[in-house]
Amino acid sequence: MTTTRVRRPSRRRTPTAVGKPRGVLHPRVQQVGPEHFGIVCFDCHKVSSKFLLADFYGRHLIPPTVVQHNRPDLDSAIAQIRLAFEQHQIRDGVVAIERTGRYHRVVQRAFAAAGFETRILHPFVTKQYRQPVDPGNKTDDADLAAIHRATVTGCALLEATRDEAWTTLQLVIRHRRDLVCKGAALNCQIRDHLEAAVPGYAACFDKLWESPIPWHLLRHYPTAGQLHEAGVTTLGQSLRQAGIRFQQRTVQTVFDWAFQAAAGDVAASQHLRIALALYDDRQRKTQDIQALEREIAGRLVQTPYVLLLSFPGINVVSAADFAGEMGPIEHYANAKSITGRAGLRPSRYQSGQVDKASGPLVRNCNRSLRAAILGIADNLSVCNHHFQALATGWAAQGKDPRHSRVKIGLRFSRIAFLMVAGRQVFRHPSIQGRHYILDKLSAFHREHDTGMVEVLRDLQAALGQLPSREYAAEAKPLGEELKRIQDGHRRGPQVLGDILPIVLARLGVGVIQSAESGE
C-alpha cells in the first residue's frame, strides 16, 4: 500500500512594520516619546566624518560637525553628544553610520565601546532617501538628512557582534582563496611564456606543476638544441645528481621532442627567464597555501562545522570556506535564513496584474557566502552519487546547469543547517553510509605533512565537537588504519602510529590487537 505525501503550503510571515526587523525603532520611540529619542547620523570618509544629532522628528540638536578619526576627537564628539542628550532630555537613542568600505569601523568601534547602540546603513539606502528631496544635490549635509530619514523608517540595521575567532577564520580562508586565484593566473602566464620559449615542451609532462623534472631540465638546458645534444644518458645523470626521481620514458619523451622541436619566439631566452621566475613565485604561493590549509583545519575543528566532513563530497577546505563565510550558526533561525543571506532565491517583480516571480537571482546579497555554497554544489554534483544523479536527471530534462547548481545549493543548505545547529553527523535517506570525520582529518594531515603535535591537537579538538553516540563508528576506520601501520602496509615514517592509540583511547576504544594466525 503506497501513501502520497501532501505538501503543505509554506507559511509566509506577515510583516508587522515597514522597516526590516533588525531596524525597527518605533516601540522604543513610543516608550520615551519622539522628542526624547535621539538619532546620531554619521557620514564617514577616510580620515574624518561628519555627524548630526537630531530627535525623531528631525529637529537639529547638534548641527553637522566634522570629527577627525583619532582618539581625542572621537572622545570629544562622544562627550559633546552625551552633553546634548542631557541638555535636551534625550532618554534613548541610536547611532546610525553609513557603511563606507572599512573606514566606518573606526567610528563604529568608538561609539560601541562608549555604550551607544550602533546601526549600519547601506549607501544605496542613503542615495534613495536623498534623491527625492535633493535631486542632483550630493553633499555631506544632504546625506546626513537622508541617513536620518532612512533610520526613522527602519533601514539602519543592527549588526551581529564580530567575534575574533570567526573573523580570523574568515580572513584566513579569503587569503587562501586569493592565493589560489593568483596561482591559477600564474599557471596561465607560465604556460604562455613556455610556449613562446620552447613550443610544445609542456606537453611532454602529464603533471607539469607537481613534477620538478621539467623545471630542472630547463634551468640546466634552456633550449631544445641543448637538450638534444645532452642525450638521454646525460639528462638522467643530471636528474640523479639533483636527487630527483624519474622514469626513463619521461626523459626519452623530452629527448624525442627536442629532436623535432619548432623554433622559439623572438627573445625566447627572456621568455624562459620570466617563466622560471614566475614558477618560483608559484612555488612560494603553493607553500603558503599548504600552510594556510593546515591552519584552516586547526580552526575548523574548533567549530561545529567540522561535522560537515561526514557529508560525502565535502572536504576540509570547502567546509572551512562555508564556516568562515557563515559565522556562528546561532545567527541563523533556519535554513531559509542562510539561503536568503546568500541570495539563492529568484528576484520578483509584481505590479498590479503583472507578477514575475521567477526572475534571475537577487543581486544584493552576501556574494562570498553564495560563492562558497555554489562551490560546494559543484563538488557535490561531481563527488556525491546522489546529487550527481539529480544533476544528470535535471540535465536530461533540459534544465539550465545554473538551475542544478542552485537546487543542489539549496538542499545542501538545509542539510548543513540541521547538521551544524543540531550537532549531528550526516544522515540522508537517499544516501547509504557517511564519511568519517577523524579519518578524513587524518588523511588531510597526512597529505599536508602536518607535524604530530598539530595532528593530535586537531583530532582531539574534533572529538569535542562529535556527539558521543558516534564515537564507536568513528573509531572503526582509525582502528583499521592503525592495524595497517602496525602490519607494515604503510611506507615511510608513520607518525599516526603514535597518535591513533591516544585518539582511540579518547573514543573509549582500546588499541586493536592483530588476530593471531595460530602458527
Side-chain angles (χ1 to χ4, degrees), residues 316-359:
V316 171
V317 174
S318 58
D321 278 350
F322 182 67
E325 299 299 346
M326 281 276 293
I329 195 65
E330 291 79 14
H331 292 171
Y332 301 87
N334 48 46
K336 285 188 176 182
S337 301
I338 300 174
T339 55
R341 182 168 180 246
L344 289 179
R345 55 186 176 85
S347 56
R348 182 182 180 186
Y349 176 85
Q350 186 271 326
S351 178
Q353 301 299 321
V354 179
D355 190 356
K356 298 179 180 179
S358 58

mmCIF file of all heavy atoms in Angstrom, residues 316-359:
data_model
loop_
_atom_site.group_PDB
_atom_site.id
_atom_site.type_symbol
_atom_site.label_atom_id
_atom_site.label_comp_id
_atom_site.label_asym_id
_atom_site.label_seq_id
_atom_site.Cartn_x
_atom_site.Cartn_y
_atom_site.Cartn_z
ATOM 1 N N VAL A 316 37.943 19.315 3.823
ATOM 2 C CA VAL A 316 38.267 20.261 4.893
ATOM 3 C C VAL A 316 38.188 21.699 4.391
ATOM 4 O O VAL A 316 37.629 22.588 5.053
ATOM 5 C CB VAL A 316 39.672 19.959 5.453
ATOM 6 C CG1 VAL A 316 40.121 21.059 6.417
ATOM 7 C CG2 VAL A 316 39.683 18.609 6.159
ATOM 8 N N VAL A 317 38.725 21.956 3.200
ATOM 9 C CA VAL A 317 38.783 23.331 2.692
ATOM 10 C C VAL A 317 37.390 23.869 2.390
ATOM 11 O O VAL A 317 37.048 25.001 2.758
ATOM 12 C CB VAL A 317 39.682 23.388 1.441
ATOM 13 C CG1 VAL A 317 39.633 24.779 0.808
ATOM 14 C CG2 VAL A 317 41.118 23.042 1.813
ATOM 15 N N SER A 318 36.549 23.086 1.725
ATOM 16 C CA SER A 318 35.204 23.574 1.395
ATOM 17 C C SER A 318 34.358 23.757 2.648
ATOM 18 O O SER A 318 33.571 24.707 2.745
ATOM 19 C CB SER A 318 34.523 22.610 0.418
ATOM 20 O OG SER A 318 34.449 21.302 0.960
ATOM 21 N N ALA A 319 34.516 22.867 3.638
ATOM 22 C CA ALA A 319 33.786 23.043 4.896
ATOM 23 C C ALA A 319 34.244 24.306 5.611
ATOM 24 O O ALA A 319 33.425 25.044 6.182
ATOM 25 C CB ALA A 319 33.988 21.822 5.792
ATOM 26 N N ALA A 320 35.550 24.591 5.572
ATOM 27 C CA ALA A 320 36.063 25.802 6.221
ATOM 28 C C ALA A 320 35.613 27.056 5.476
ATOM 29 O O ALA A 320 35.332 28.089 6.102
ATOM 30 C CB ALA A 320 37.585 25.744 6.297
ATOM 31 N N ASP A 321 35.557 27.007 4.136
ATOM 32 C CA ASP A 321 35.040 28.142 3.368
ATOM 33 C C ASP A 321 33.610 28.472 3.789
ATOM 34 O O ASP A 321 33.257 29.635 4.019
ATOM 35 C CB ASP A 321 35.080 27.826 1.871
ATOM 36 C CG ASP A 321 36.449 28.059 1.270
ATOM 37 O OD1 ASP A 321 37.293 28.644 1.966
ATOM 38 O OD2 ASP A 321 36.670 27.662 0.118
ATOM 39 N N PHE A 322 32.803 27.443 3.885
ATOM 40 C CA PHE A 322 31.404 27.639 4.287
ATOM 41 C C PHE A 322 31.322 28.180 5.712
ATOM 42 O O PHE A 322 30.553 29.111 5.994
ATOM 43 C CB PHE A 322 30.663 26.306 4.162
ATOM 44 C CG PHE A 322 29.200 26.362 4.502
ATOM 45 C CD1 PHE A 322 28.321 27.071 3.710
ATOM 46 C CD2 PHE A 322 28.715 25.714 5.625
ATOM 47 C CE1 PHE A 322 26.961 27.129 4.024
ATOM 48 C CE2 PHE A 322 27.371 25.750 5.937
ATOM 49 C CZ PHE A 322 26.495 26.469 5.139
ATOM 50 N N ALA A 323 32.126 27.620 6.617
ATOM 51 C CA ALA A 323 32.096 28.053 8.015
ATOM 52 C C ALA A 323 32.543 29.498 8.166
ATOM 53 O O ALA A 323 31.930 30.280 8.899
ATOM 54 C CB ALA A 323 32.977 27.132 8.861
ATOM 55 N N GLY A 324 33.613 29.874 7.457
ATOM 56 C CA GLY A 324 34.127 31.229 7.581
ATOM 57 C C GLY A 324 33.156 32.274 7.082
ATOM 58 O O GLY A 324 33.039 33.361 7.668
ATOM 59 N N GLU A 325 32.456 31.988 5.990
ATOM 60 C CA GLU A 325 31.503 32.949 5.455
ATOM 61 C C GLU A 325 30.183 32.941 6.236
ATOM 62 O O GLU A 325 29.490 33.944 6.288
ATOM 63 C CB GLU A 325 31.220 32.659 3.977
ATOM 64 C CG GLU A 325 32.441 32.738 3.068
ATOM 65 C CD GLU A 325 33.089 34.108 3.060
ATOM 66 O OE1 GLU A 325 32.457 35.072 3.533
ATOM 67 O OE2 GLU A 325 34.239 34.213 2.608
ATOM 68 N N MET A 326 29.844 31.824 6.849
ATOM 69 C CA MET A 326 28.599 31.740 7.619
ATOM 70 C C MET A 326 28.722 32.435 8.960
ATOM 71 O O MET A 326 27.855 33.212 9.358
ATOM 72 C CB MET A 326 28.232 30.273 7.841
ATOM 73 C CG MET A 326 27.596 29.604 6.649
ATOM 74 S SD MET A 326 25.827 29.901 6.567
ATOM 75 C CE MET A 326 25.256 29.010 8.003
ATOM 76 N N GLY A 327 29.801 32.161 9.684
ATOM 77 C CA GLY A 327 29.892 32.636 11.054
ATOM 78 C C GLY A 327 29.127 31.716 11.992
ATOM 79 O O GLY A 327 28.723 30.605 11.615
ATOM 80 N N PRO A 328 28.907 32.117 13.232
ATOM 81 C CA PRO A 328 28.214 31.249 14.195
ATOM 82 C C PRO A 328 26.831 30.848 13.690
ATOM 83 O O PRO A 328 26.075 31.678 13.194
ATOM 84 C CB PRO A 328 28.121 32.113 15.459
ATOM 85 C CG PRO A 328 29.224 33.116 15.312
ATOM 86 C CD PRO A 328 29.349 33.383 13.847
ATOM 87 N N ILE A 329 26.516 29.583 13.835
ATOM 88 C CA ILE A 329 25.233 29.079 13.366
ATOM 89 C C ILE A 329 24.089 29.662 14.193
ATOM 90 O O ILE A 329 22.928 29.681 13.737
ATOM 91 C CB ILE A 329 25.212 27.530 13.431
ATOM 92 C CG1 ILE A 329 24.049 26.951 12.617
ATOM 93 C CG2 ILE A 329 25.175 27.047 14.863
ATOM 94 C CD1 ILE A 329 24.139 27.194 11.143
ATOM 95 N N GLU A 330 24.384 30.172 15.382
ATOM 96 C CA GLU A 330 23.350 30.767 16.224
ATOM 97 C C GLU A 330 22.754 32.028 15.610
ATOM 98 O O GLU A 330 21.688 32.486 16.040
ATOM 99 C CB GLU A 330 23.913 31.095 17.609
ATOM 100 C CG GLU A 330 24.259 29.876 18.450
ATOM 101 C CD GLU A 330 25.581 29.247 18.049
ATOM 102 O OE1 GLU A 330 26.355 29.911 17.306
ATOM 103 O OE2 GLU A 330 25.845 28.107 18.459
ATOM 104 N N HIS A 331 23.414 32.600 14.612
ATOM 105 C CA HIS A 331 22.897 33.804 13.960
ATOM 106 C C HIS A 331 21.802 33.499 12.938
ATOM 107 O O HIS A 331 21.256 34.423 12.331
ATOM 108 C CB HIS A 331 24.037 34.550 13.259
ATOM 109 C CG HIS A 331 25.022 35.142 14.214
ATOM 110 N ND1 HIS A 331 26.216 35.703 13.808
ATOM 111 C CD2 HIS A 331 24.998 35.269 15.561
ATOM 112 C CE1 HIS A 331 26.880 36.139 14.861
ATOM 113 N NE2 HIS A 331 26.162 35.886 15.931
ATOM 114 N N TYR A 332 21.493 32.220 12.720
ATOM 115 C CA TYR A 332 20.527 31.834 11.698
ATOM 116 C C TYR A 332 19.357 31.106 12.359
ATOM 117 O O TYR A 332 19.556 30.119 13.077
ATOM 118 C CB TYR A 332 21.178 30.931 10.647
ATOM 119 C CG TYR A 332 22.344 31.582 9.949
ATOM 120 C CD1 TYR A 332 23.627 31.496 10.487
ATOM 121 C CD2 TYR A 332 22.164 32.303 8.785
ATOM 122 C CE1 TYR A 332 24.699 32.116 9.861
ATOM 123 C CE2 TYR A 332 23.237 32.914 8.141
ATOM 124 C CZ TYR A 332 24.496 32.815 8.697
ATOM 125 O OH TYR A 332 25.569 33.426 8.071
ATOM 126 N N ALA A 333 18.148 31.599 12.114
ATOM 127 C CA ALA A 333 16.960 30.986 12.704
ATOM 128 C C ALA A 333 16.607 29.671 12.031
ATOM 129 O O ALA A 333 16.100 28.750 12.673
ATOM 130 C CB ALA A 333 15.773 31.953 12.641
ATOM 131 N N ASN A 334 16.833 29.578 10.734
ATOM 132 C CA ASN A 334 16.510 28.370 9.984
ATOM 133 C C ASN A 334 17.338 28.361 8.712
ATOM 134 O O ASN A 334 18.149 29.263 8.459
ATOM 135 C CB ASN A 334 15.006 28.302 9.661
ATOM 136 C CG ASN A 334 14.495 29.613 9.095
ATOM 137 O OD1 ASN A 334 15.112 30.213 8.213
ATOM 138 N ND2 ASN A 334 13.359 30.083 9.597
ATOM 139 N N ALA A 335 17.132 27.328 7.876
ATOM 140 C CA ALA A 335 17.911 27.199 6.647
ATOM 141 C C ALA A 335 17.590 28.308 5.651
ATOM 142 O O ALA A 335 18.458 28.712 4.870
ATOM 143 C CB ALA A 335 17.657 25.830 6.012
ATOM 144 N N LYS A 336 16.361 28.813 5.683
ATOM 145 C CA LYS A 336 15.995 29.898 4.770
ATOM 146 C C LYS A 336 16.769 31.172 5.078
ATOM 147 O O LYS A 336 16.989 31.994 4.187
ATOM 148 C CB LYS A 336 14.488 30.164 4.831
ATOM 149 C CG LYS A 336 13.652 29.112 4.118
ATOM 150 C CD LYS A 336 12.193 29.530 4.044
ATOM 151 C CE LYS A 336 11.378 28.523 3.238
ATOM 152 N NZ LYS A 336 9.963 28.924 3.120
ATOM 153 N N SER A 337 17.173 31.339 6.316
ATOM 154 C CA SER A 337 17.990 32.498 6.649
ATOM 155 C C SER A 337 19.347 32.417 5.957
ATOM 156 O O SER A 337 19.920 33.436 5.563
ATOM 157 C CB SER A 337 18.189 32.580 8.171
ATOM 158 O OG SER A 337 16.957 32.679 8.839
ATOM 159 N N ILE A 338 19.857 31.198 5.781
ATOM 160 C CA ILE A 338 21.142 31.020 5.089
ATOM 161 C C ILE A 338 20.997 31.355 3.613
ATOM 162 O O ILE A 338 21.757 32.160 3.057
ATOM 163 C CB ILE A 338 21.640 29.573 5.269
ATOM 164 C CG1 ILE A 338 21.830 29.244 6.744
ATOM 165 C CG2 ILE A 338 22.934 29.356 4.492
ATOM 166 C CD1 ILE A 338 22.185 27.799 7.004
ATOM 167 N N THR A 339 20.011 30.739 2.976
ATOM 168 C CA THR A 339 19.849 30.961 1.537
ATOM 169 C C THR A 339 19.389 32.383 1.238
ATOM 170 O O THR A 339 19.700 32.933 0.186
ATOM 171 C CB THR A 339 18.845 29.951 0.967
ATOM 172 O OG1 THR A 339 17.606 30.035 1.699
ATOM 173 C CG2 THR A 339 19.386 28.537 1.096
ATOM 174 N N GLY A 340 18.644 32.991 2.171
ATOM 175 C CA GLY A 340 18.249 34.381 1.971
ATOM 176 C C GLY A 340 19.445 35.313 2.030
ATOM 177 O O GLY A 340 19.563 36.239 1.223
ATOM 178 N N ARG A 341 20.354 35.089 2.983
ATOM 179 C CA ARG A 341 21.550 35.920 3.072
ATOM 180 C C ARG A 341 22.459 35.706 1.875
ATOM 181 O O ARG A 341 23.105 36.630 1.381
ATOM 182 C CB ARG A 341 22.300 35.586 4.363
ATOM 183 C CG ARG A 341 23.560 36.422 4.592
ATOM 184 C CD ARG A 341 24.085 36.238 6.006
ATOM 185 N NE ARG A 341 25.282 37.025 6.209
ATOM 186 C CZ ARG A 341 26.494 36.520 6.418
ATOM 187 N NH1 ARG A 341 26.656 35.195 6.455
ATOM 188 N NH2 ARG A 341 27.541 37.296 6.609
ATOM 189 N N ALA A 342 22.507 34.463 1.368
ATOM 190 C CA ALA A 342 23.336 34.174 0.202
ATOM 191 C C ALA A 342 22.673 34.592 -1.105
ATOM 192 O O ALA A 342 23.326 34.550 -2.157
ATOM 193 C CB ALA A 342 23.658 32.676 0.153
ATOM 194 N N GLY A 343 21.409 34.963 -1.069
ATOM 195 C CA GLY A 343 20.729 35.385 -2.286
ATOM 196 C C GLY A 343 20.403 34.242 -3.223
ATOM 197 O O GLY A 343 20.318 34.439 -4.435
ATOM 198 N N LEU A 344 20.189 33.048 -2.681
ATOM 199 C CA LEU A 344 19.815 31.900 -3.514
ATOM 200 C C LEU A 344 18.291 31.860 -3.666
ATOM 201 O O LEU A 344 17.623 30.902 -3.269
ATOM 202 C CB LEU A 344 20.333 30.604 -2.896
ATOM 203 C CG LEU A 344 21.845 30.400 -2.951
ATOM 204 C CD1 LEU A 344 22.235 29.091 -2.291
ATOM 205 C CD2 LEU A 344 22.345 30.430 -4.386
ATOM 206 N N ARG A 345 17.761 32.895 -4.224
ATOM 207 C CA ARG A 345 16.321 32.976 -4.465
ATOM 208 C C ARG A 345 16.100 33.895 -5.666
ATOM 209 O O ARG A 345 16.900 34.808 -5.925
ATOM 210 C CB ARG A 345 15.583 33.534 -3.248
ATOM 211 C CG ARG A 345 16.109 34.875 -2.763
ATOM 212 C CD ARG A 345 15.443 35.306 -1.473
ATOM 213 N NE ARG A 345 16.007 36.534 -0.941
ATOM 214 C CZ ARG A 345 15.656 37.756 -1.286
ATOM 215 N NH1 ARG A 345 14.713 37.920 -2.202
ATOM 216 N NH2 ARG A 345 16.218 38.818 -0.740
ATOM 217 N N PRO A 346 15.044 33.656 -6.433
ATOM 218 C CA PRO A 346 14.804 34.485 -7.617
ATOM 219 C C PRO A 346 14.273 35.859 -7.237
ATOM 220 O O PRO A 346 13.569 36.025 -6.234
ATOM 221 C CB PRO A 346 13.766 33.680 -8.406
ATOM 222 C CG PRO A 346 13.052 32.878 -7.362
ATOM 223 C CD PRO A 346 14.068 32.553 -6.317
ATOM 224 N N SER A 347 14.635 36.839 -8.019
ATOM 225 C CA SER A 347 14.076 38.177 -7.822
ATOM 226 C C SER A 347 12.622 38.185 -8.301
ATOM 227 O O SER A 347 12.211 37.363 -9.115
ATOM 228 C CB SER A 347 14.886 39.206 -8.603
ATOM 229 O OG SER A 347 14.942 38.874 -9.974
ATOM 230 N N ARG A 348 11.847 39.121 -7.779
ATOM 231 C CA ARG A 348 10.418 39.167 -8.094
ATOM 232 C C ARG A 348 10.016 40.582 -8.479
ATOM 233 O O ARG A 348 10.467 41.554 -7.865
ATOM 234 C CB ARG A 348 9.593 38.703 -6.890
ATOM 235 C CG ARG A 348 8.090 38.678 -7.154
ATOM 236 C CD ARG A 348 7.323 38.252 -5.928
ATOM 237 N NE ARG A 348 5.883 38.211 -6.157
ATOM 238 C CZ ARG A 348 4.984 37.972 -5.218
ATOM 239 N NH1 ARG A 348 5.372 37.718 -3.978
ATOM 240 N NH2 ARG A 348 3.692 37.968 -5.514
ATOM 241 N N TYR A 349 9.187 40.677 -9.505
ATOM 242 C CA TYR A 349 8.620 41.961 -9.918
ATOM 243 C C TYR A 349 7.108 41.800 -9.975
ATOM 244 O O TYR A 349 6.587 41.000 -10.757
ATOM 245 C CB TYR A 349 9.150 42.395 -11.285
ATOM 246 C CG TYR A 349 8.515 43.680 -11.780
ATOM 247 C CD1 TYR A 349 9.018 44.905 -11.379
ATOM 248 C CD2 TYR A 349 7.400 43.656 -12.624
ATOM 249 C CE1 TYR A 349 8.436 46.084 -11.815
ATOM 250 C CE2 TYR A 349 6.803 44.826 -13.060
ATOM 251 C CZ TYR A 349 7.330 46.043 -12.651
ATOM 252 O OH TYR A 349 6.750 47.208 -13.071
ATOM 253 N N GLN A 350 6.402 42.541 -9.116
ATOM 254 C CA GLN A 350 4.945 42.455 -9.082
ATOM 255 C C GLN A 350 4.366 43.866 -9.052
ATOM 256 O O GLN A 350 4.757 44.697 -8.237
ATOM 257 C CB GLN A 350 4.485 41.671 -7.845
ATOM 258 C CG GLN A 350 2.991 41.408 -7.786
ATOM 259 C CD GLN A 350 2.218 42.527 -7.100
ATOM 260 O OE1 GLN A 350 2.731 43.133 -6.164
ATOM 261 N NE2 GLN A 350 1.016 42.785 -7.582
ATOM 262 N N SER A 351 3.458 44.115 -9.978
ATOM 263 C CA SER A 351 2.758 45.391 -10.036
ATOM 264 C C SER A 351 1.404 45.155 -10.685
ATOM 265 O O SER A 351 1.323 44.817 -11.876
ATOM 266 C CB SER A 351 3.565 46.422 -10.843
ATOM 267 O OG SER A 351 2.874 47.641 -10.935
ATOM 268 N N GLY A 352 0.344 45.313 -9.910
ATOM 269 C CA GLY A 352 -0.984 45.071 -10.445
ATOM 270 C C GLY A 352 -1.161 43.614 -10.836
ATOM 271 O O GLY A 352 -0.961 42.694 -10.044
ATOM 272 N N GLN A 353 -1.526 43.381 -12.103
ATOM 273 C CA GLN A 353 -1.749 42.027 -12.593
ATOM 274 C C GLN A 353 -0.452 41.344 -13.022
ATOM 275 O O GLN A 353 -0.435 40.151 -13.299
ATOM 276 C CB GLN A 353 -2.728 42.049 -13.777
ATOM 277 C CG GLN A 353 -4.088 42.641 -13.452
ATOM 278 C CD GLN A 353 -4.797 41.851 -12.373
ATOM 279 O OE1 GLN A 353 -4.748 40.629 -12.339
ATOM 280 N NE2 GLN A 353 -5.479 42.565 -11.464
ATOM 281 N N VAL A 354 0.623 42.104 -13.098
ATOM 282 C CA VAL A 354 1.915 41.547 -13.516
ATOM 283 C C VAL A 354 2.632 40.988 -12.297
ATOM 284 O O VAL A 354 2.748 41.664 -11.272
ATOM 285 C CB VAL A 354 2.790 42.627 -14.192
ATOM 286 C CG1 VAL A 354 4.129 42.046 -14.588
ATOM 287 C CG2 VAL A 354 2.062 43.203 -15.389
ATOM 288 N N ASP A 355 3.085 39.740 -12.403
ATOM 289 C CA ASP A 355 3.809 39.114 -11.302
ATOM 290 C C ASP A 355 4.855 38.170 -11.887
ATOM 291 O O ASP A 355 4.547 37.057 -12.304
ATOM 292 C CB ASP A 355 2.850 38.358 -10.379
ATOM 293 C CG ASP A 355 3.542 37.911 -9.094
ATOM 294 O OD1 ASP A 355 4.765 38.120 -8.973
ATOM 295 O OD2 ASP A 355 2.871 37.355 -8.216
ATOM 296 N N LYS A 356 6.089 38.637 -11.943
ATOM 297 C CA LYS A 356 7.206 37.814 -12.417
ATOM 298 C C LYS A 356 7.982 37.349 -11.193
ATOM 299 O O LYS A 356 8.839 38.053 -10.671
ATOM 300 C CB LYS A 356 8.091 38.620 -13.353
ATOM 301 C CG LYS A 356 7.381 39.090 -14.618
ATOM 302 C CD LYS A 356 8.316 39.897 -15.497
ATOM 303 C CE LYS A 356 7.595 40.368 -16.764
ATOM 304 N NZ LYS A 356 8.495 41.179 -17.630
ATOM 305 N N ALA A 357 7.659 36.133 -10.754
ATOM 306 C CA ALA A 357 8.244 35.613 -9.509
ATOM 307 C C ALA A 357 9.424 34.691 -9.763
ATOM 308 O O ALA A 357 9.967 34.118 -8.827
ATOM 309 C CB ALA A 357 7.178 34.867 -8.712
ATOM 310 N N SER A 358 9.809 34.497 -10.993
ATOM 311 C CA SER A 358 10.909 33.570 -11.297
ATOM 312 C C SER A 358 11.974 34.271 -12.130
ATOM 313 O O SER A 358 12.371 33.797 -13.189
ATOM 314 C CB SER A 358 10.384 32.337 -12.041
ATOM 315 O OG SER A 358 9.724 32.736 -13.239
ATOM 316 N N GLY A 359 12.412 35.414 -11.661
ATOM 317 C CA GLY A 359 13.456 36.142 -12.362
ATOM 318 C C GLY A 359 14.833 35.600 -12.014
ATOM 319 O O GLY A 359 14.981 34.530 -11.395
#
